[in-house]
Amino acid sequence: MTDSAHRSDPANRSDRGEQTRAAIAAAAQELFLERGYDKTTMRAVADRAGVSIGNAYYYFASKEHLVQAFYDQIQVEHAAAAHDSLERTDKFAERLREVLTTWVDVAEPFHGFAGKFFKVAAEPTSPLSPFSTESRGAREASIDLFRRVVEGSDLKVPAPIRAELPELLWLLQMGVVLFWVHDPSDGQKRTRALVRQVVPLVDKLVRLSRLPGMRGVVGDVVELIRSVRP
């Protein structure tokens, strides 16, 4: 294949585009860590990545979308960090505790400016909202990780609860994340303590759903989840 044919090949163009996108996202992550969210501009990101400002906007419509790419990467790192612990045990409580704790481990370097991110994410129309269309990939990846927590565990619960449990655990993680954002303790020790205390309670509550007298409650919970799901 000639050089000109190689350059015009769609697959080659796609590869270059992915490389450019990844370079812009990596530059943004570096600047967020160095300068914080507010002082990082799209122009600074473009300069750091070695692309034009127009090219930066081509791949990311706004600074919020750059943060979304940053958040997506955290989900990838979280899943990788949790992998070994999920392989080591089938105990539901241990698996859940490890997955929640590894998220704190992965996110710890970014705690200093996380509040800025979540201030933006709190706006319902923001692409950073965990419930937004733009966040769908990261949201589904996180829910899938909790699905692995459930499916590889010793947990025996009614099928309707088992089906909905991964999303409920993801919502639990959202609560932990909110607590983490406001946790000023060194290494977010309070968040880690919260996880240790909450997980046994969740384990007991979920296992109670097997009791015959809980069937009506289980049905009500499942119906509630389905009714509020977007």
Side-chain angles (χ1 to χ4, degrees), residues 52-75:
S52 68
I53 184 70
N55 213 4
Y57 275 112
Y58 175 80
Y59 288 99
F60 297 96
S62 68
K63 190 163 69 169
E64 287 85 355
H65 287 84
L66 279 168
V67 177
Q68 184 59 60
F70 173 68
Y71 181 59
D72 290 345
Q73 182 59 32
I74 287 180
Q75 302 312 306

Side-chain angles (χ1 to χ4, degrees), residues 138-217:
R139 180 172 64 249
E140 290 182 349
S142 187
I143 292 173
D144 188 59
L145 179 57
F146 285 110
R147 188 171 291 111
R148 288 171 55 198
V149 169
V150 174
E151 291 178 353
S153 77
D154 63 348
L155 195 62
K156 293 180 175 59
V157 293
I161 283 291
R162 194 177 187 88
E164 302 293 345
L165 191 54
E167 189 166 351
L168 286 173
L169 296 177
W170 172 72
L171 290 172
L172 169 65
Q173 178 176 272
M174 291 298 97
V176 170
V177 170
L178 181 61
F179 187 91
W180 172 82
V181 168
H182 295 279
D183 180 3
S185 61
D186 291 341
Q188 293 73 62
K189 292 179 181 178
R190 291 180 59 207
T191 303
R192 297 173 189 278
L194 175 69
V195 169
R196 289 194 299 270
Q197 294 172 34
V198 164
V199 166
L201 178 60
V202 171
D203 184 42
K204 291 175 183 177
L205 288 173
V206 172
R207 293 180 190 278
L208 282 173
S209 66
R210 295 181 61 193
L211 298 178
M214 295 294 291
R215 288 176 183 172
V217 175

Side-chain angles (χ1 to χ4, degrees):
M1 182 182 290
T2 66
D3 287 345
S4 60
H6 181 71
R7 285 194 298 270
S8 63
D9 180 67
N12 188 51
R13 292 199 303 272
S14 176
D15 288 345
R16 287 203 306 273
E18 284 303 311
Q19 290 170 5
T20 301
R21 189 181 191 281
I24 295 169
Q29 179 169 328
E30 291 174 3
L31 289 168
F32 287 145
L33 285 169
E34 292 173 13
R35 306 180 183 181
Y37 177 78
D38 287 341
K39 293 182 179 179
T40 296
T41 64
M42 289 293 285
R43 182 168 297 281
V45 170
D47 290 345
R48 176 67 63 91
V51 302
S52 68
I53 184 70
N55 213 4
Y57 275 112
Y58 175 80
Y59 288 99
F60 297 96
S62 68
K63 190 163 69 169
E64 287 85 355
H65 287 84
L66 279 168
V67 177
Q68 184 59 60
F70 173 68
Y71 181 59
D72 290 345
Q73 182 59 32
I74 287 180
Q75 302 312 306
V76 172
E77 293 176 11
H78 180 206
H83 176 76
D84 288 346
S85 61
L86 290 178
E87 291 293 313
R88 284 196 298 267
T89 180
D90 67 347
K91 302 299 183 184
F92 172 70
E94 293 178 11
R95 291 166 71 86
L96 178 59
R97 184 183 65 248
E98 287 296 323
V99 166
L100 292 174
T101 301
T102 52
W103 187 92
V104 178
D105 293 339
V106 168
E108 184 177 354
F110 316 113
H111 184 266
F113 57 91
K116 294 291 184 181
F117 289 175
F118 284 91
K119 181 179 179 180
V120 177
E123 172 59 46
T125 59
S126 169
L128 290 182
S129 166
F131 303 98
S132 71
T133 300
E134 291 87 349
S135 295
R136 174 184 243 173
R139 180 172 64 249
E140 290 182 349
S142 187
I143 292 173
D144 188 59
L145 179 57
F146 285 110
R147 188 171 291 111
R148 288 171 55 198
V149 169
V150 174
E151 291 178 353
S153 77
D154 63 348
L155 195 62
K156 293 180 175 59
V157 293
I161 283 291
R162 194 177 187 88
E164 302 293 345
L165 191 54
E167 189 166 351
L168 286 173
L169 296 177
W170 172 72
L171 290 172
L172 169 65
Q173 178 176 272
M174 291 298 97
V176 170
V177 170
L178 181 61
F179 187 91
W180 172 82
V181 168
H182 295 279
D183 180 3
S185 61
D186 291 341
Q188 293 73 62
K189 292 179 181 178
R190 291 180 59 207
T191 303
R192 297 173 189 278
L194 175 69
V195 169
R196 289 194 299 270
Q197 294 172 34
V198 164
V199 166
L201 178 60
V202 171
D203 184 42
K204 291 175 183 177
L205 288 173
V206 172
R207 293 180 190 278
L208 282 173
S209 66
R210 295 181 61 193
L211 298 178
M214 295 294 291
R215 288 176 183 172
V217 175
V218 168
D220 290 342
V221 169
V222 171
E223 184 58 33
L224 174 62
I225 296 168
R226 291 174 178 170
S227 68
V228 300
R229 180 179 287 135

